Amino acid sequence: MSRDLAIVRAGRGEADRVTAVIAAAFADLAVTAWLVPDPHHREKVLHGHLGILVEHALVQGAVWTSADLSAAAVWLPYGQPSPGIPDYPQRRHAACGTYTGRFEQLDAAFAERHPHQAHHYLALLAVHPKRQRRGLGSALLRHHHARLDRTTGQSAYLEASSMDSRRLYQRHGYHDHGPP
């Protein structure tokens, strides 16, 4: 994959397509199988929940995608005054239904480990399964890291969802901050 892949900022009208790519990429992860054990409901529930995060980031953060929308990085500023997701508990319940308790547990685990100093938070990084292992995720990371270096100089934080993603992030300078 070329290091000069076209990276574009997603607009509000692309929220559904971006969310669909992320849901497809996350559908087979161990953590999402735990969140939504029924594979017939998993992608729909993920789409509903992830859509809340994508829509929020389109307003309060940044959503970068490959030009063909096959890969996306969802970034949020952390530690700066910004509104949270309006009505998040109610919206999460509407999206997750009977699986809401598991999503609440995951949110609590993330919140417990999240650093408190100002940083940029990579909430989601996903590449459509048919386009994975071609450097798209790395290109999205390099793009935002370069922007941070040019503008705020802030650090970045994320939670890896698999051992493969953990290795990817370590190649880009991320370090473990405790057990999963």
Side-chain angles (χ1 to χ4, degrees):
M1 176 59 60
S2 171
R3 289 182 67 89
D4 59 348
L5 171 76
I7 305 289
V8 296
R9 191 167 192 157
R12 288 186 186 180
E14 296 161 320
D16 191 60
R17 278 189 65 194
V18 169
T19 302
V21 165
I22 298 168
F26 285 16
D28 291 330
L29 295 174
V31 68
T32 54
W34 175 80
L35 286 167
V36 185
D38 184 341
H40 298 99
H41 295 124
R42 188 174 303 140
E43 206 162 324
K44 181 180 181 196
V45 172
L46 289 175
H47 190 281
H49 183 258
L50 297 169
I52 297 167
L53 301 174
V54 169
E55 289 172 11
H56 181 66
L58 285 167
V59 175
Q60 296 298 325
V63 178
W64 299 104
T65 69
S66 56
D68 66 356
L69 293 172
S70 65
V74 176
W75 291 91
L76 291 164
Y78 189 89
Q80 303 165 13
S82 69
I85 298 172
D87 303 318
Y88 178 62
Q90 296 85 353
R91 293 176 70 196
R92 178 180 54 203
H93 181 74
C96 301
T98 60
Y99 306 107
T100 300
R102 291 175 183 238
F103 281 85
E104 289 171 341
Q105 287 179 35
L106 184 65
D107 285 349
F110 285 169
E112 179 182 318
R113 291 168 176 82
H114 206 108
H116 298 288
Q117 73 273 14
H119 61 277
H120 274 232
Y121 174 51
L122 179 59
L124 305 163
L125 176 67
V127 177
H128 191 279
K130 293 180 180 177
R131 298 287 311 261
Q132 291 177 359
R133 303 203 182 281
R134 297 182 188 179
L136 294 167
S138 289
L140 287 166
L141 286 170
R142 283 191 304 270
H143 176 80
H144 195 71
H145 293 164
R147 287 183 61 83
L148 289 176
D149 290 346
R150 284 191 314 271
T151 58
T152 68
Q154 285 184 331
S155 62
Y157 174 81
L158 56 83
E159 296 96 4
S161 57
S162 69
M163 292 306 290
D164 282 345
S165 63
R166 178 179 176 263
R167 286 187 287 274
L168 168 71
Y169 299 135
Q170 287 178 327
R171 285 194 306 269
H172 287 274
Y174 287 86
H175 304 283
D176 285 337
H177 290 276

